[in-house]
């Protein structure tokens, strides 16, 4: 079998026949091509399965719900060397199926994409927000973070070399499947080609499966989850920069620099806030490294792999130091007859250089707990 065309399907009785017939008309133009059409049914309660079967398609039931789950089930059941898929809602230019296959197979590419953004998007086919913000922003983000040259990261009309696909370990069950497929392919240095295609409007009364903000956020979260080193670097940079400036403020006190009064209490509080923000970003990266999508830098690796005894004594030491600051402040307060205090400057400095390592230490405690849970 040269090619398997997969349609993910959930109650698409209005359009599934149109889609199957359009794909067959395109692929039959090459009489030497051996192909099959598979409908990955995701629990349809209408006549979708019966219609597909009557038109000669092979129906593959997929119990796990979700766009990605349906496609993964269909691709796994495919018998073709290449697997092509598109939504079964009648919106894609299915007549481009043969062109997409030939372009992909001739280049011996691992993935071919029918770009909507390079082609004709008919009026009403794509919401304005998706066209000018959602797809361009997500595509640019993938291109920048993973060194891609894509024009349409959300195209649901693609052709894959099945042997390459099986090495990418695709796991997404929802709409983020589209982003995961591209990112994993780029990480594996897969070869990718594009053809010019387009998009048509869906039937007026069709209820879309896509939910703009939820699914857009899923795409964004998945894209970012594949780049923990970016969060690691940003977090460390904020921590180091804010801490160095805080140390300078502690040494010099408020100073006048070219007419600007800096390193006063307001500056110190903002530096503390910046350092804590950087710490949270850094700890987020440490937790993300447990997914093993990237390798951490040496300092983070040592913290993640820290001996449990060392972690215990680090936590105990920090708690003792914080307790000592509380005790010092109480003594100063008692000596003043429990009246007003004026130790805010030194207190902010102590807070900075104790809170940052304390948040890191307790964050690493959480990472170690998660790590032990993953290891069983």
């Amino acid at each position: 079998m040269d090619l398997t065309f997969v349609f993910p399907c959930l109650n698409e009785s209005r359009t599934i026949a149109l889609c199957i017939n359009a794909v067959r008309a395109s692929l039959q133009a090459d009489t030497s091509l051996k192909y099959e059409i598979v409908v990955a049914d995701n629990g349809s309660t209408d006549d979708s399965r019966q219609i597909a079967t009557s038109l000669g398609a092979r129906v593959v039931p997929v119990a796990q719900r979700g766009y990605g789950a349906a496609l993964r089930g269909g691709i796994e059941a495919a018998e073709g060397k290449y697997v092509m898929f598109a939504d079964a809602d009648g919106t894609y230019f299915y007549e481009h199926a043969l062109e997409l296959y030939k372009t992909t197979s001739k280049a011996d590419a691992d993935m071919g994409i029918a770009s909507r953004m390079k082609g004709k998007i008919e009026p009403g086919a794509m919401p304005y927000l998706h066209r000018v913000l959602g797809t361009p922003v997500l595509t640019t983000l993938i291109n920048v973070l993973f060194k891609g040259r894509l024009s349409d990261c959300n195209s649901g009309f693609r052709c894959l070399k099945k042997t390459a696909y099986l090495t990418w370990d695709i796991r997404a069950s929802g709409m983020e499947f589209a982003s995961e497929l591209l990112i994993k392919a780029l990480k594996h240095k897969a070869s990718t080609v594009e053809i010019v295609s387009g998009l048509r409007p869906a039937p007026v009364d069709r209820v879309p499966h896509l939910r703009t903000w939820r699914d857009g956020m899923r795409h964004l979260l998945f894209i970012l989850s594949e780049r923990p080193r970016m969060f690691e670097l940003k977090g460390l940079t904020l921590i180091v920069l804010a801490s160095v400036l805080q140390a300078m403020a502690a040494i010099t006190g408020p100073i006048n620099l070219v007419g600007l009064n800096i390193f006063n209490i307001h500056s110190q509080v903002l530096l503390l806030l910046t350092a804590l923000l950087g710490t949270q970003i850094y700890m987020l990266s440490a937790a993300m490294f447990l997914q093993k999508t990237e390798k951490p830098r040496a300092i983070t690796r040592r913290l993640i792999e820290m001996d449990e005894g060392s972690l215990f004594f680090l936590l105990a030491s920090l708690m003792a130091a914080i307790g000592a600051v509380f005790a010092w402040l109480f003594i100063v307060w008692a000596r003043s007859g429990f009246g007003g205090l004026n130790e805010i400057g030194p207190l902010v400095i102590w807070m900075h250089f104790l809170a940052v390592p304390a948040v890191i230490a307790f964050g690493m405690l959480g990472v170690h707990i998660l790590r032990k849970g993953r290891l069983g």
Side-chain angles (χ1 to χ4, degrees), residues 101-167:
Y101 167 72
K102 285 190 171 182
T103 301
T104 307
S105 58
K106 185 176 180 180
D108 194 29
D110 298 312
M111 182 188 301
I113 302 172
S115 173
R116 304 165 302 168
M117 307 306 286
K118 285 184 176 180
K120 180 182 180 182
I121 300 177
E122 296 181 0
M126 184 184 293
Y128 181 77
L129 192 63
H130 294 193
R131 188 170 183 175
V132 303
L133 182 63
T135 297
V137 168
L138 293 176
T139 300
T140 300
L141 197 57
I142 290 175
N143 285 339
V144 170
L145 294 180
F146 304 98
K147 301 179 181 178
R149 295 182 178 179
L150 309 170
S151 66
D152 185 4
C153 74
N154 286 331
S155 172
F157 190 5
R158 303 181 189 179
C159 183
L160 312 172
K161 186 184 289 183
K162 187 172 179 179
T163 53
Y165 166 85
L166 293 175
T167 66

Side-chain angles (χ1 to χ4, degrees), residues 79-95:
E79 297 178 1
K81 177 183 177 183
Y82 283 89
V83 183
M84 191 181 299
F85 62 84
D87 297 352
D89 58 0
T91 59
Y92 284 93
F93 284 30
Y94 305 101
E95 59 268 31

Side-chain angles (χ1 to χ4, degrees), residues 13-221:
S13 60
R14 288 199 59 200
T15 53
I16 190 67
L18 178 153
C19 297
I20 291 173
N21 289 330
V23 165
R24 181 171 284 119
S26 176
L27 298 179
Q28 282 180 342
D30 184 349
T31 56
S32 65
L33 181 66
K34 297 178 182 178
Y35 71 91
E36 65 171 345
I37 297 177
V38 167
V39 172
D41 187 72
N42 212 199
S44 296
T45 55
D46 61 7
D47 296 330
S48 298
R49 288 175 291 182
Q50 292 86 338
I51 295 171
T53 301
S54 69
L55 292 172
R58 178 161 60 98
V59 176
V60 175
V62 181
Q64 184 183 2
R65 284 299 183 95
Y67 170 78
L71 279 174
R72 286 192 290 111
I75 294 171
E76 288 167 9
E79 297 178 1
K81 177 183 177 183
Y82 283 89
V83 183
M84 191 181 299
F85 62 84
D87 297 352
D89 58 0
T91 59
Y92 284 93
F93 284 30
Y94 305 101
E95 59 268 31
H96 294 164
L98 184 59
E99 180 188 355
L100 180 58
Y101 167 72
K102 285 190 171 182
T103 301
T104 307
S105 58
K106 185 176 180 180
D108 194 29
D110 298 312
M111 182 188 301
I113 302 172
S115 173
R116 304 165 302 168
M117 307 306 286
K118 285 184 176 180
K120 180 182 180 182
I121 300 177
E122 296 181 0
M126 184 184 293
Y128 181 77
L129 192 63
H130 294 193
R131 188 170 183 175
V132 303
L133 182 63
T135 297
V137 168
L138 293 176
T139 300
T140 300
L141 197 57
I142 290 175
N143 285 339
V144 170
L145 294 180
F146 304 98
K147 301 179 181 178
R149 295 182 178 179
L150 309 170
S151 66
D152 185 4
C153 74
N154 286 331
S155 172
F157 190 5
R158 303 181 189 179
C159 183
L160 312 172
K161 186 184 289 183
K162 187 172 179 179
T163 53
Y165 166 85
L166 293 175
T167 66
W168 298 341
D169 190 27
I170 306 299
R171 299 179 181 181
S173 59
M175 290 294 184
E176 65 274 18
F177 174 91
S179 293
E180 181 180 14
L181 194 61
L182 293 177
I183 291 168
K184 293 287 181 69
L186 290 171
K187 281 191 166 186
H188 281 79
K189 309 296 183 184
S191 53
T192 305
V193 294
E194 286 187 342
I195 68 165
V196 176
S197 191
L199 197 67
R200 298 186 176 100
V204 176
D205 58 347
R206 180 182 182 273
V207 178
H209 300 311
L210 179 68
R211 293 172 60 183
T212 298
W213 295 107
R214 181 201 66 180
D215 293 320
M217 193 62 178
R218 282 184 172 181
H219 281 287
L220 179 60
L221 290 175

Side-chain angles (χ1 to χ4, degrees), residues 276-309:
L276 289 175
L277 175 62
T279 305
Q280 289 297 321
I281 294 172
Y282 177 66
M283 293 316 304
L284 173 63
S285 75
M288 289 163 62
F289 280 123
L290 296 180
Q291 298 180 111
K292 298 183 178 179
T293 55
E294 289 184 320
K295 292 183 178 180
R297 291 172 172 83
I299 183 173
T300 308
R301 187 177 65 253
R302 284 196 289 269
L303 287 171
I304 292 174
E305 298 174 355
M306 180 185 294
D307 175 79
E308 286 79 2

Side-chain angles (χ1 to χ4, degrees), residues 306-329:
M306 180 185 294
D307 175 79
E308 286 79 2
S310 300
L311 180 60
F312 170 79
F313 284 110
L314 174 62
L315 288 166
S317 300
L318 285 167
M319 293 303 295
I322 292 171
V325 171
F326 272 93
W328 162 75
L329 194 60

